[in-house]
Amino acid sequence: LAESPKAEHSTCQKHGAFFLQRLSRLGEILKSARQEAALAEIDLDHENFHAAWHWMVREGDERDLIQPLEALCLYYDLRWRSQEGQAACRAGVEGFTRFKDSIEVTRTRIRMLAWQSHFQHLLGELEAADQLLGEAEVVIDRLAADGKDTRKEQAFVLFERGDLNFNSDRNVAADYYGKSLEIYREVGDTWSVARTLANLGMVNHHMGTFQQAAKHWQECLEIHRRIGDPRGNADALVELGMNLVRSGQYEEGEGYMKEGTAILQGIGDKASLARGYYELCRPQYWIHGDFDKSYEYLDRSCRIYHELGFR
């Protein structure tokens, strides 16, 4: 193909369009009870999806890139492939400078910046993550000044702001999550409502307001059970369980944690196994005082996190 540039371009265009259309169709499935099947499908053809995205952001049309963005980033997030996610978003942001400004191009650029910030944060690059959110906020303000509806983009950036502040100022983080939740409820994004409730539960838990944390996680659990998201379901169960343990309700709390951990272990990918081992360690020391067993689980978890590059 390299000997025939026209044929090469045509072939890459067809390849890119085919795989990115397929990726777009998998986007909503990644938020449903069929999440594992969608992830497995992307796993099998990951190199094709990867090549399609990176060629299309260099050479393709913006219409082919707007829809598959969320599915691609969700895949990298759920599989904990943060470096690839960060690289895909950076390439997308650079590639989008080729296109004339339109509302859809601008909205997609904001989402790319927020996703890139998300992956930089996971890689421990907090200053870069903060700067990217700042860039996204400038674009949001410009759209809002022109009377455009930016609620979905605002909610996403506010959520990422909450994540960035989680370990430095939990009151600030709770405020960001609260504003994000309000907007997600307003626009009817149920999956994102559940995701934000989970983080609000976490921040309230660490602030010691266990009753409020339980309220958030209970609603989160109900949503995930309704839509069938296995990871969201497992996360809500284990955190609700730990919240009960720290409130002194040991038996009930451990039951929730065991149920959630069983789901994580059943999913079986590396990220879920690492999280599962971590969750198994907590009742061992909180309830049973078995520090040796806790250490064993933490050691297994830590080794997988190192493998995944999750700092």
Side-chain angles (χ1 to χ4, degrees), residues 33-50:
R34 294 166 57 206
Q35 183 185 88
E36 285 309 302
L39 287 169
E41 185 174 335
I42 300 172
D43 282 339
L44 285 171
D45 259 328
H46 170 255
E47 291 304 321
N48 278 310
F49 292 119
H50 176 89

Side-chain angles (χ1 to χ4, degrees), residues 185-210:
R185 288 195 196 277
E186 195 177 289
V187 298
D189 188 340
T190 306
W191 186 83
S192 295
V193 164
R195 185 167 170 253
T196 311
L197 282 165
N199 285 30
L200 259 177
M202 185 77 77
V203 81
N204 275 277
H205 176 84
H206 283 286
M207 290 165 71
T209 49
F210 300 128

